[in-house]
Every structure is written in C-alpha cells, then in structure tokens.
Amino acid sequence: MAMTASPPAPAGASHSESERSPFARLNELLAPHAPGKPMITLAAGEPQHPVPDFVGPVLARHIADFGRYPAAKGIEPFRKAAAGWLSRRFVLPRAIDPEHEILVLNGSREGLFFAAHAALRHAGPRRGRPAILMPNPFYPVYGVGARTAGCDSIYLPTIRENGFLPDLDAIDEETLARTIAFYIATPANPQGSVASADYMRKLIRLANRHGFLIFSDECYSEIYTRAAPGSMLEHAGPDYANVVAFQSLSKRSNVPGMRIGFAAGDRKFLAAFHELRNVAAPQVPVPLQQVAVAAYADEAHVEENRRLYRAKFDLADQIIGNRYGYQRPDGGFCVWLDVADRGGDEDVTLRLYREAGVRVVPGSYLARPQPDGFNPGAGYIRLALVADAASTGEALHRLVEALG
C-alpha cells in the first residue's frame, strides 16, 4: 500500500474532519439519542483508579511554589528522578544525562505537538516538502502537530496483517528522503501492539540513514498484563541520536489531571526543543514536578494499577472470548474489536448506546482515510477499560448481549 501525503483540507474548512477530537465527533453522533440503560462509558481513555496517597501531602508541602514561575527546563530534582527511573526501568546504552537529555512537559500531548515544530527547525535540508510520518489510526495530536508545522502528513496504515504497527518496508525512498520525524506509539493506541526490539532497531536504522527523528510515544509503557514493553531508547546509539521518548504520569500513576511528563533522548534536538518551549509552551508548576519526583520513586502504586487492569482484562478474556477478533493487548488499557460484520463501527456505536447504555468510540474516528479511500479504523470500535471491575464486567456483558 503506497505511503503518500494526505490530501489537503476541503476549501473553506479550517481543518480536516479527522483532525477534530474523536470525542467531539462521538458527542455529535450520540447527541440525538438516549442511552437504553444506565450509562457506562468505555470511550475516554481517562484512568479512573485512585490517585496515589502521596499526591496530596507532597502538594501541601510545596504549595508555596505555586507563587513563582517555573523554569521551562524543569527543576533539577525532577530531571534527576526521571533519568533515574529510565535507568531502572529500561536497559539503556548508558545513563541518561538529566542536565541535557531530559525536558519536563505538560503531559506528553503538549510535548508531542510542539515536537513537530521543533523538528522542522532542527532538520537539515530535505529533498522535497518536509514530511512527518505517523501510524493510522493515530493520536490526533500527531496530525495536528504536523499540519501546523507546515509539513506533509504521511499516514501509515496499522492493520492486523502487519501486527497493528506501520509496515516499515512499505515506505518508499522518496518519502524517507523528505521525512523529518516519525511518530510511533508503543504500546499503540488503540490496538495495544508493542514494537519488538528488532522492529525498533530497524526503525532507528532508517532514522540514522535518512536523518529524521523518532518521536516514540511511550505513555502506556507501564500498563501491561504480561511482559513489560521496551523503550526505543534501549536500542539507540550511546548518544541517543535521532531518538526521543515521550513519557507521562497520567496512565502510570492515575493522575491525568496533573498534566506532567517528559521527553528524553537526543540532546541536540532537546536543546532546540527547549528553546522553542521556553517562549511558546506553558511551564510545569513546581509542586506538580515534586509530585512526579515522588511518583518516579515509587513502584508499589504502579504495580497495584497493573493488578487492577489485569483483573479487567481477565474479565474481557472470559466475557468476550474469541468474538469480534478480540485479542488481549500487549500493552495499554484499550480493546480493539472488529465489528465490521455487525454493521460497522458507527452503527455498532449507536446500537450499544441506544440498546445497552455502553459508550465506545468508532474506530474510523481515530483514523484517517488513506489516499485510496481505505480507513484502517473503519469496522472497529475502541473500548477503554478504565472503569472499576464491576462496571467493566457489566458493560462487556451488555456489549455481547447486544451484538451477539
């Protein structure tokens, strides 16, 4: 399947439909209808497990720090905590330098957006219009970041036949020659696929040969029920050239409202990234950085988090079984179900809401049509198993009853 740039937005449109929030589109789809039963939402990927006990006391101790502007780079204790956690969690070629290879972020989403703009400044001359590659389905911020940076977006279909990861062999040399950055999510959202070490090494070889950056979105790396996912940083060279990993505490530590994460890796890019963020991005409040210091020092709450997700995936294994192409994902907390033979993703989403009171996301809202019209998300629905086990089990039973 050819990898070509997406078509421009329709005349008069401020952005393409696929760059809108999938949840805004879902609200419009469901607005004329009422849920058939007391509603259970499996749509938003917003963690619902308890906030760790240490969050409140740490905030209280550092409340006075809300009274000053924080440095864009991040406080030294945060950068050291993030670097230390990376070294404990992954087998890195060498320890990350907290002074030059860590940058605090307002959650990974903000960082992933601004990274596209920094990549355009950082990249050398390209043969043709600069391009940014990304999986399809994809996290919408990738596409918006590429478009607002003035780059072509190249959408790489992630389908069952290629393990729900971009097919690296299908990218033509002309496209690679003008690529400035490649977004990759591992574990993937929505399918939960995890890139193998061989896959990561292959992508890094492409990046080094063609001089583009890899933006590795690893915000789901701590949500798994079997083997722990790896990091792109583990397979980079000792200078981490062309590799930048993005992490967030939202999923790992159940603090989605804190909006704190970091970028780590290529120091030359991070220096340019810091310069851009220093004038364009909001700083991260110091008390939140102090909470992150405590969070990265504690693994007990993370393991408890995984235990809760493991129990819900056990329910999915039992209740869904082999229906709808279900496979327990390698990472993340989402389920990707094939409902093409049940009427398609929008029709099934409506039916589940009207008949069962279950709110899910149509897969086509998370993807964009390829140049040939094929939408790799069409025919699928995404479920986020973020509610408590009782609600999750009830929702899954209702889903099976409604869809057969």
Side-chain angles (χ1 to χ4, degrees):
M1 187 174 295
M3 305 304 178
T4 57
S6 58
S14 60
H15 48 65
S16 69
E17 183 74 1
S18 65
E19 288 175 351
R20 296 183 64 217
S21 163
F23 303 107
R25 297 177 67 188
L26 177 63
N27 288 341
E28 291 172 1
L29 176 71
L30 301 181
H33 309 279
K37 296 181 180 180
M39 191 173 70
I40 302 174
T41 182
L42 302 181
E46 181 182 55
Q48 298 294 304
H49 297 163
V51 172
D53 291 340
F54 57 76
V55 171
V58 172
L59 283 175
R61 286 198 301 273
H62 295 278
I63 198 74
D65 287 327
F66 279 117
R68 60 191 177 99
Y69 288 121
K73 188 175 185 177
I75 61 174
E76 184 179 23
F78 171 84
R79 288 183 278 111
K80 286 184 174 180
W85 175 77
L86 284 171
S87 289
R88 295 191 301 274
R89 172 62 175 82
F90 302 108
V91 182
L92 301 177
R94 65 163 173 80
I96 290 283
D97 175 5
E99 183 63 25
H100 300 102
E101 294 171 343
I102 293 282
L103 190 60
V104 72
L105 303 172
N106 288 275
S108 56
R109 180 168 69 172
E110 173 260 315
L112 289 161
F113 173 79
F114 279 106
H117 296 253
L120 185 63
R121 296 183 175 198
H122 177 77
R126 301 288 108 167
R127 283 185 280 167
R129 181 177 168 87
I132 295 181
L133 280 57
M134 62 198 72
N136 191 22
F138 60 98
Y139 189 31
V141 75
Y142 306 162
V144 176
R147 179 176 63 81
T148 57
C151 299
D152 281 345
S153 298
I154 309 293
Y155 295 93
L156 311 177
T158 56
I159 56 178
R160 188 175 299 279
E161 288 73 17
N162 56 26
F164 293 119
L165 290 168
D167 182 354
L168 302 180
D169 293 328
I171 310 171
D172 62 80
E173 289 293 313
E174 181 181 353
T175 296
L176 290 168
R178 62 191 185 96
T179 297
I180 65 167
F182 190 126
Y183 285 107
I184 182 77
T186 176
N189 176 9
Q191 306 98 333
S193 48
V194 170
S196 68
D198 286 345
Y199 185 98
M200 292 183 183
R201 286 192 287 263
K202 186 173 187 177
L203 179 54
I204 290 170
R205 287 195 297 270
L206 284 176
N208 291 339
R209 176 150 56 92
H210 294 278
F212 63 78
L213 290 154
I214 299 169
F215 294 150
S216 186
D217 183 354
E218 301 175 7
C219 73
Y220 288 95
S221 71
E222 304 314 288
I223 309 300
Y224 56 88
T225 63
R226 291 178 293 219
S231 170
M232 197 72 65
L233 294 170
E234 295 179 288
H235 307 288
D239 57 357
Y240 297 107
N242 298 321
V243 175
V244 184
F246 291 78
Q247 277 283 349
S248 169
L249 285 179
S250 295
K251 277 73 176 177
R252 176 189 181 270
S253 297
N254 297 308
V255 285
M258 270 184 47
R259 312 312 305 150
I260 186 164
F262 65 83
D266 186 318
R267 65 173 58 201
K268 291 182 180 178
F269 171 76
L270 288 180
F273 195 20
H274 174 232
E275 287 296 321
L276 174 64
R277 295 189 72 263
N278 202 27
V279 296
Q283 304 104 312
V284 180
V286 170
L288 303 190
Q289 294 187 57
Q290 293 289 1
V291 172
V293 171
Y296 283 123
D298 180 72
E299 291 296 326
H301 76 284
V302 186
E303 178 50 43
E304 172 61 11
N305 200 28
R306 282 194 289 269
R307 185 190 68 79
L308 294 173
Y309 284 118
R310 191 179 303 121
K312 287 182 281 189
F313 277 108
D314 288 344
L315 287 174
D317 292 349
Q318 298 161 17
I319 297 168
I320 300 177
N322 60 3
R323 300 177 180 88
Y324 329 120
Y326 167 75
Q327 291 182 342
R328 188 173 180 134
D330 291 329
F333 49 52
C334 293
V335 170
W336 191 235
L337 299 182
D338 184 347
V339 294
D341 63 353
R342 267 42 175 213
D345 54 322
E346 277 194 330
D347 285 348
V348 163
T349 296
L350 277 170
R351 189 190 321 165
L352 289 174
Y353 186 71
R354 290 187 307 216
E355 297 179 11
V358 175
R359 187 181 175 100
V360 301
V361 181
S364 59
Y365 290 9
L366 302 169
R368 182 186 183 117
Q370 297 291 136
D372 62 1
F374 169 63
N375 184 319
Y380 287 88
I381 56 172
R382 191 195 77 171
L383 286 56
L385 305 190
V386 293
D388 61 82
S391 298
T392 299
E394 172 64 19
L396 295 177
H397 278 299
R398 291 187 200 173
L399 181 149
V400 170
E401 181 180 355
L403 300 185

